[in-house]
Amino acid sequence: MAKPLSLSLVTYSSLPELPLIAQLIQSNAKELGITINIYLVEDSDEYLMAKDDWDLALYSLITAPRGDASYYLSANYLPGGGLNASRINDDKLTKMIQQLNSTVDDAKRDQLAKQATALINGEMLTSSIVHPNIVVAYNQKVKNWTTNPSEYYMLTQHLDVTP
């Protein structure tokens, strides 16, 4: 006899949209007969890396300390990566990321990052279910503003405010 499917979803409340997204997932899953138990934790990084009592996690990866794919791929998909809570260990992907990390040529790095991303998506190693829309509003006194896909690079040496 089949048992009803029940999953544990871990998220955190410091980004207020995450618990709301979790509730939406829970509600939609319930319509399919799937139970989603939501757990709000204080430090999701620590919890996800230390525990294995979760099935799903809602996590925001918007801000990255470097402007290329190497950081993101290494942290999230290399064995022992600081954000590899799913403990992904795919030999082909690991080789791609290691090659990316040792490549200097920008065009080749872009190609390797796209190949790694295609493998991740093709194998469904992780799945992004939402993405942010960046909305920028600023006064006409602000000069040389450049909207960047990574919010980490909003402030640059070219940004200025005139009196």
Side-chain angles (χ1 to χ4, degrees):
M1 187 165 121
K3 284 177 37 177
L5 182 59
S6 178
L7 302 169
S8 299
L9 185 151
V10 174
T11 194
Y12 52 100
S13 60
S14 60
L15 290 176
E17 65 272 19
L18 295 181
L20 296 174
I21 294 169
Q23 290 173 356
L24 179 63
I25 292 169
Q26 182 183 52
S27 175
N28 288 342
K30 185 176 182 179
E31 291 177 14
L32 300 172
I34 300 169
T35 300
I36 303 280
N37 298 303
I38 300 170
Y39 298 97
L40 289 176
V41 297
E42 185 94 8
D43 186 340
S44 60
D45 289 331
E46 182 180 315
Y47 188 92
L48 295 171
M49 294 300 283
K51 307 278 188 179
D52 63 359
D53 61 350
W54 55 274
D55 303 300
L56 307 166
L58 279 179
Y59 192 88
S60 176
L61 296 167
I62 295 174
T63 303
R66 289 200 342 235
D68 73 20
S70 175
Y71 166 80
Y72 174 82
L73 292 169
S74 294
N76 288 282
Y77 296 101
L78 282 182
L83 298 173
N84 188 355
S86 299
R87 294 160 186 85
I88 293 167
N89 187 352
D90 182 287
D91 290 337
K92 188 173 180 182
L93 180 59
T94 296
K95 287 177 185 164
M96 283 182 193
I97 296 170
Q98 288 171 339
Q99 185 179 1
L100 170 64
N101 291 343
S102 64
T103 300
V104 176
D105 179 71
D106 286 340
K108 182 67 175 166
R109 289 177 63 78
D110 287 346
Q111 178 189 17
L112 289 165
K114 288 176 183 176
Q115 288 173 355
T117 302
L119 187 145
I120 291 163
N121 290 336
E123 296 294 323
M124 300 270 312
L125 296 177
T126 57
S127 180
S128 298
I129 60 171
V130 295
H131 64 87
N133 290 320
I134 296 176
V135 178
V136 177
Y138 53 91
N139 188 298
Q140 63 188 7
K141 296 177 185 179
V142 176
K143 304 296 180 204
N144 303 317
W145 174 270
T146 302
T147 301
N148 188 294
S150 172
E151 63 190 31
Y152 190 79
Y153 297 100
M154 284 192 237
L155 302 178
T156 68
Q157 73 272 22
H158 305 291
L159 187 64
D160 194 14
V161 178
T162 59

